[in-house]
Amino acid sequence: MSSAGAGRREGPAPARGGAPVLRRAARAEWGPLLRTVRTALAASRLRAIPVTLTAVALTLVFHFVQNQAWGYRIVQDIGSVQADEHLWLALLRTPLSLFVPALDLPVWGALVQILVVFGITEICVGRRHLLAVAYLATLAGTMYARIGIWIGPVSPIGLPDSDKYVTDTGPSAAVVGLAVFVCWRYRAWFTCAAVAVAMLVEVVSIKNNLAGKEHVAAVLAVLVLCGLCELRRPGGAVGPRRPGGAVGPGGPGGAPPVSGSAHPR
């Protein structure tokens, strides 16, 4: 090897073309949302999600009480929903049923879902939207149970008569509905589609039961809500929220909320 060649150092290998593309896609998909969450938590920490923390605490209380001999009946009377009950009674219990964890599932799963999805939603779209969309999604599942039983098992969207006695509680329908709503609000279309497709796959291949079909009903109800919002706002103004619920400039790629003002209302 010549002395000129011996002293030459090779530069770093060129980056593969796929990685920058994936990074740009990830930033476009989740960048505005993550900036909003990070700014709010940096400015206010847990004060940014008071409704979420209340929901976590309420779920823990219901979990403790319903696992006591003296408390099971109390929780069932105020937060348990079944399709064989009178409609008015089910509607009264539906809001609290969201915070009653299912007895056959680990409570930590419900707590993680609430803390992560409710927390992101509370920061990104505000408390009123969080509560409204969560209730809409839960109510959609509750009403679907009655409609599905009325249709019967002869249809793919129907349910067997035995499902009228299934206890219908937990935050999962609200969680998937909120996930879809936030993805729509921040134009995270790939994630929004992934959540919807995952719910369909769950019903077709994994959990073809009341819970799985209620998740699909919740997604459909929230998608209808998003469609109505699109019709009301033809300009499609979405993205990081400003104080008072305004949207940052530039739609989903607009500037994140300024420090100290990310906390919704």
Side-chain angles (χ1 to χ4, degrees):
M1 180 181 296
S2 66
S3 58
R8 184 183 302 121
R9 293 183 179 180
E10 295 185 2
R16 295 186 178 181
V21 172
L22 291 177
R23 282 198 296 267
R24 287 196 297 270
R27 283 197 296 266
E29 182 80 2
W30 301 307
L33 187 149
L34 292 179
R35 284 197 299 271
T36 303
V37 173
R38 185 170 59 246
T39 302
L41 292 179
S44 303
R45 299 189 183 277
L46 294 181
R47 294 193 305 275
I49 52 171
V51 173
T52 299
L53 296 179
T54 302
V56 170
L58 191 58
T59 303
L60 278 173
V61 169
F62 276 131
H63 171 69
F64 173 78
V65 172
Q66 76 173 351
N67 282 280
Q68 309 304 311
W70 52 266
Y72 175 77
R73 190 71 260 163
I74 296 174
V75 174
Q76 297 302 301
D77 288 342
I78 65 175
S80 175
V81 175
Q82 292 181 337
D84 69 325
E85 298 170 335
H86 291 295
L87 179 59
W88 65 268
L89 181 59
L91 293 177
L92 286 175
R93 292 177 175 175
T94 294
L96 284 180
S97 72
L98 193 155
F99 307 107
V100 179
L103 289 170
D104 58 337
L105 296 174
V107 67
W108 62 263
L111 295 177
V112 170
Q113 289 178 17
I114 292 174
L115 183 61
V116 174
V117 179
F118 278 50
I120 291 173
T121 306
E122 184 172 2
I123 290 172
C124 291
V125 301
R127 300 167 194 169
R128 287 187 297 178
H129 284 93
L130 162 64
L131 295 173
V133 176
Y135 181 69
L136 171 66
T138 304
L139 182 62
T142 298
M143 297 307 298
Y144 162 74
R146 296 171 178 271
I147 296 171
I149 291 169
W150 177 74
I151 294 174
V154 295
S155 170
I157 63 173
L159 295 168
D161 191 66
S162 58
D163 278 353
K164 68 172 62 175
Y165 305 111
V166 174
T167 301
D168 184 18
T169 60
S172 56
V175 164
V176 296
L178 290 171
V180 168
F181 186 79
V182 171
C183 289
W184 163 77
R185 185 73 178 266
Y186 278 74
R187 294 309 198 243
W189 298 122
F190 179 81
T191 308
C192 183
V195 172
V197 170
M199 295 304 100
L200 290 174
V201 171
E202 178 187 37
V203 168
V204 173
S205 304
I206 302 174
K207 191 160 56 175
N208 186 17
N209 58 9
L210 174 61
K213 291 182 177 180
E214 282 188 344
H215 295 166
V216 175
V219 169
L220 291 176
V222 175
L223 286 176
V224 170
L225 172 64
C226 295
L228 293 175
C229 292
E230 286 288 339
L231 293 176
R232 291 182 57 189
R233 297 190 303 179
V238 294
R241 301 175 65 253
R242 294 286 185 177
V247 178
V258 294
S259 178
S261 66
H263 178 52
R265 284 184 296 281

